[in-house]
Structures are given as structure tokens and as C-alpha cells.
Amino acid sequence: MNIRHYVESDLDAVLSSWEIATRLAHPFMTDAFIARERLNVAEVYMPNTDTWVIEVEGSVAGFIALMGNEVGALFLQPKYHGRGAGKALMDKAQELHGDLEVEVFKQNSIGRKFYSQYGFEYLEEKLHEPTGQQVLRLKFTANEKARDGE
């Protein structure tokens, strides 16, 4: 596995990871909402985030998009779930920013399980207006050892 900065030629692979994983983890999202968000990912989010991709055997398997210490997106092709790729991307985010925050849909059991196993803790719950779904805001607090770079 290799983690590197996103480049424009990764866009199709990133959008594929995003859409396939979104449909798997968010069955409540409509096709119209996903189509709109796919455009937003390409035109709004990617140009305005610090995005890292993970390659497995030379192909982009997924990505993490950061806005400071906020994890704006973490998506993997489902065949890479449970294989350490998500943890590797989150480790990169922690290495860059220490403490992290993320929002995850309450109904996203895949994401919630991942964040819980990584060590994120509940901060608050709120309504995600565009979907009418509840989202959970979570926080990861880096330990002193990680902060000291040991």
C-alpha cells in the first residue's frame, strides 16, 4: 500500500471509490442526491481539500480528504474494507494533524464501526438537512506519544 497526494488524474478513481462506498454505506441516499454530490465532490470538495489517495498494486483503492483536522471524506473501494487501508489513511491524517474530527451518518454502520475501532468518541448528534438523516460528530484525541512524534 502506498499513500500519496491526490493529483487531478486520480479524479475518476476517487469518484468511483466515493460513489460505490457511498451507496453501500448510505442506502437511504437517493440517486438524485448522489448525482448532485458526485458533482460537488469533483468541483467543490476536491479542489478545496488536502486529499491523499491510497494505492494498492498500482491502483487507487480509496482516499481521505482533509480540511485542517476535519476528515471531510474517507472512502474505499469495498473490496479493501477491513484490510488496513482505511487505518493507513487515518494514520496519515493523524500524523499531519494530531487530534481529528469527523461527521458520520448515524445509519452508516460501516463508518461508525471503523471510527469507533480507531478510537473516535461521540461529541454530538445533529440533523443533516439535505438528507433528513441524523449525523454524529466524533472526535479523536491523539495521545501524547503520537503528538511528540515518537
Side-chain angles (χ1 to χ4, degrees):
M1 285 191 255
N2 175 46
I3 296 176
R4 62 171 174 76
H5 250 125
Y6 165 86
V7 293
E8 220 171 286
S9 59
D10 295 327
L11 183 61
D12 286 343
V14 161
L15 287 173
S16 171
S17 298
W18 174 83
E19 184 168 346
I20 291 168
T22 291
R23 289 182 183 279
L24 179 68
H26 309 116
F28 52 85
M29 288 186 180
T30 65
D31 288 342
F33 180 79
I34 288 174
R36 253 191 335 274
E37 280 301 289
R38 186 179 169 104
L39 278 175
N40 285 336
V41 169
E43 297 171 6
V44 180
Y45 305 137
M46 297 311 293
N48 294 299
T49 57
D50 179 25
T51 301
W52 297 79
V53 297
I54 189 161
E55 293 177 315
V56 178
E57 298 170 5
S59 295
V60 173
F63 71 100
I64 190 167
L66 305 168
M67 299 162 295
N69 76 329
E70 173 90 12
V71 178
L74 173 62
F75 290 96
L76 297 170
Q77 292 286 349
K79 70 180 179 181
Y80 297 107
H81 288 182
R83 294 177 156 193
K87 182 182 183 310
L89 286 167
M90 195 61 71
D91 288 349
K92 180 67 177 177
Q94 187 196 333
E95 172 192 318
L96 292 167
H97 297 287
D99 296 351
L100 302 168
E101 292 194 15
V102 68
E103 287 186 353
V104 61
F105 283 99
K106 190 173 184 177
Q107 287 191 27
N108 177 355
S109 58
I110 296 167
R112 287 180 60 196
K113 179 180 176 192
F114 171 80
Y115 292 121
S116 174
Q117 287 176 337
Y118 196 85
F120 278 80
E121 295 178 347
Y122 174 87
L123 281 179
E124 66 177 338
E125 182 172 332
K126 61 186 180 183
L127 180 68
H128 181 253
E129 303 262 347
T131 59
Q133 297 292 316
Q134 292 298 115
V135 291
L136 305 177
R137 184 155 191 84
L138 309 174
K139 181 178 179 86
F140 175 83
T141 305
N143 62 38
E144 293 301 319
K145 193 172 188 178
R147 225 178 261 133
D148 294 341
E150 292 177 19

